[in-house]
Every structure is written in C-alpha cells, then in structure tokens.
C-alpha cells in the first residue's frame, strides 16, 4: 500500500506501479475501489486469465456501469452488490493500461485499439462492475472530495443525470459471490 503524494495523480500512480512491479507478477490490474471483477463464464479471474497468459500483453475487461438504483441515501446495512443492481444496458471499455509495444486485446481475444468502445453483446465471459455513483448522496459526497484527473471536479449534477439515464438494465451477476462475501464480512 502506497500513500500516493500526488493530487490528481491516478495515472502517475499506475505508471509508477507498472514501472516498479511489472516483473513481480504475471498480471497487474488497475482496479478502483468502486470496481469489482465478476467472472461470468468461470468462477475465478485466474481461470479467465490463463487463456491469455502465454501470448497477450494486456486484456481490457469491460465495465458494466451501475447507477443509484433509485437510492438517495447511503445504507450501511446492505452490500454494494445487493443495493445497486440497475446498470447501463451496454458494456463499455475504458482501458487503464500503460502504453506497450503490443495493443491490448478484449475479452474475446480481439485486438482493441480504441480507448473506449461499446460491446454489442451481453454474453461477456468476465466484466468489471463499476459502482460509479452509488446513492445520490454518495455521488455528491464523492464529487466534493475532488477528482483523480482535474483540480476542479467537472462531474456536476448534469453529468450525474447523463449517466443515470443510461441505467435501464438489471444485473445480478455478482450475486453468485454474495454468500461468500457476507460470510467473510461477518468474520471481520
């Protein structure tokens, strides 16, 4: 754990991690605290990554962006997985990778040269559930803290509603881990 001293320093932190630790592991994932990896076709990320480890430098796993699911206030009695199930109906990919000699591939092992694209299928072998807003109050609180890229956070209420209006699908894919998660949390 490194307490990163740079404001708006997410990208420099990723670069530092890559530069210092790229030889320490087979894979390095740049996953934020509000992002959960959910394997759909397999039960673990390790099983999924085995398919790519011999000949791929990077794999972009698509986001499924979740909104408020109609919640105004924060509720500490439920997990995020239980509370937020309404999401965008399309997946999107926003790659958080270090520039490399080889382009990344997507989850179907196809070269992905665009920074952001939308996937036209809901049959992904793995996804990242991005709990982008959580409740409305949590979004307001998050916005007040600042942004990882900009000194003045541009994510205003209009930005919030632009994301919220895309939430038209329900996704329970992470529920398969819910009992294990709750049992582990009970022991903490």
């Amino acid at each position: 754990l490194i307490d990163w001293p740079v404001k708006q320093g997410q990208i420099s932190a990723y670069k530092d991690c890559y530069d210092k630790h790229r030889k320490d592991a087979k894979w390095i994932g740049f996953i934020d605290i509000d992002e959960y990896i959910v394997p759909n076709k397999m039960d673990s990320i390790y099983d999924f990554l085995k398919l790519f480890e011999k000949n791929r430098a990077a794999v972009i796993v698509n986001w499924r962006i979740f909104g408020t699911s109609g919640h105004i206030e924060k509720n500490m009695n439920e997990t995020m997985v239980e509370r937020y199930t309404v999401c965008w109906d399309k997946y999107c990919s926003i790659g958080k990778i270090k520039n490399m000699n080889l382009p990344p591939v997507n989850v179907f092992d196809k070269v992905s040269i665009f920074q952001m694209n939308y996937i036209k299928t809901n049959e992904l072998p793995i996804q990242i559930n991005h709990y982008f807003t959580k409740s409305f109050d949590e979004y307001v609180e998050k916005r007040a803290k600042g942004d990882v890229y900009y000194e003045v956070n541009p994510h205003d209420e209009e930005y919030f509603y632009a994301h919220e209006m895309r939430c038209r699908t329900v996704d329970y894919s992470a529920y398969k881990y819910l009992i294990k998660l709750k049992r582990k949390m009970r022991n903490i």
Side-chain angles (χ1 to χ4, degrees):
L1 178 62
I2 298 171
D3 186 9
W4 198 247
V6 181
K7 288 188 178 198
Q8 290 78 43
Q10 185 173 21
I11 300 304
S12 63
Y14 290 161
K15 183 180 179 324
D16 181 75
C17 174
Y18 178 80
D19 291 344
K20 289 180 180 173
H21 301 289
R22 69 178 178 251
K23 294 181 182 177
D24 297 342
K26 286 183 184 177
W27 296 97
I28 295 176
F30 297 107
I31 310 299
D32 293 346
I33 198 165
D34 62 353
E35 298 173 347
Y36 293 15
I37 299 171
V38 180
N40 291 322
K41 301 287 184 196
M42 299 169 180
D43 290 330
S44 79
I45 187 172
Y46 304 109
D47 293 338
F48 171 76
L49 288 173
K50 282 180 192 173
L51 303 171
F52 300 92
E53 69 185 16
K54 294 211 186 294
N55 62 353
R56 297 299 182 199
V59 180
I60 291 181
V61 178
N62 296 83
W63 269 353
R64 172 122 287 174
I65 299 178
F66 288 75
T68 65
S69 296
H71 298 286
I72 296 284
E73 298 173 348
K74 186 177 190 174
N75 178 351
M76 297 300 289
N77 295 322
E78 292 179 312
T79 65
M80 262 198 308
V81 169
E82 290 173 287
R83 190 154 167 77
Y84 304 109
T85 57
V86 182
C87 59
W88 289 17
D89 53 355
K90 294 196 184 318
Y91 289 90
C92 75
S93 65
I94 298 177
K96 294 191 275 186
I97 60 169
K98 168 110 171 63
N99 291 335
M100 295 180 227
N101 295 334
L102 299 172
V105 295
N106 65 20
V107 297
F108 301 110
D109 203 20
K110 302 290 183 210
V111 172
S112 182
I113 57 174
F114 299 106
Q115 180 69 5
M116 181 172 172
N117 60 8
Y118 294 94
I119 301 298
K120 296 176 180 160
T121 179
N122 284 334
E123 299 296 322
L124 293 181
I126 194 168
Q127 68 191 46
I128 295 176
N129 287 6
H130 184 193
Y131 297 96
F132 174 72
T133 57
K134 300 180 208 73
S135 69
F136 180 77
D137 289 350
E138 288 170 281
Y139 175 80
V140 171
E141 184 181 314
K142 176 181 174 180
R143 182 174 180 261
K145 287 180 185 176
D147 187 77
V148 297
Y149 298 110
Y150 309 103
E151 265 187 65
V152 177
N153 193 334
H155 302 145
D156 57 10
E157 199 167 311
E158 186 176 319
Y159 182 85
F160 166 83
Y161 284 116
H163 280 75
E164 188 73 2
M165 297 309 282
R166 291 181 171 205
C167 293
R168 299 181 292 249
T169 298
V170 176
D171 184 320
Y172 294 103
S173 59
Y175 267 49
K176 69 181 186 178
Y177 299 105
L178 199 50
I179 295 299
K180 284 183 180 180
L181 174 64
K182 286 180 172 185
R183 289 185 70 210
K184 286 196 183 264
M185 289 174 65
R186 184 190 301 168
N187 294 331
I188 295 176

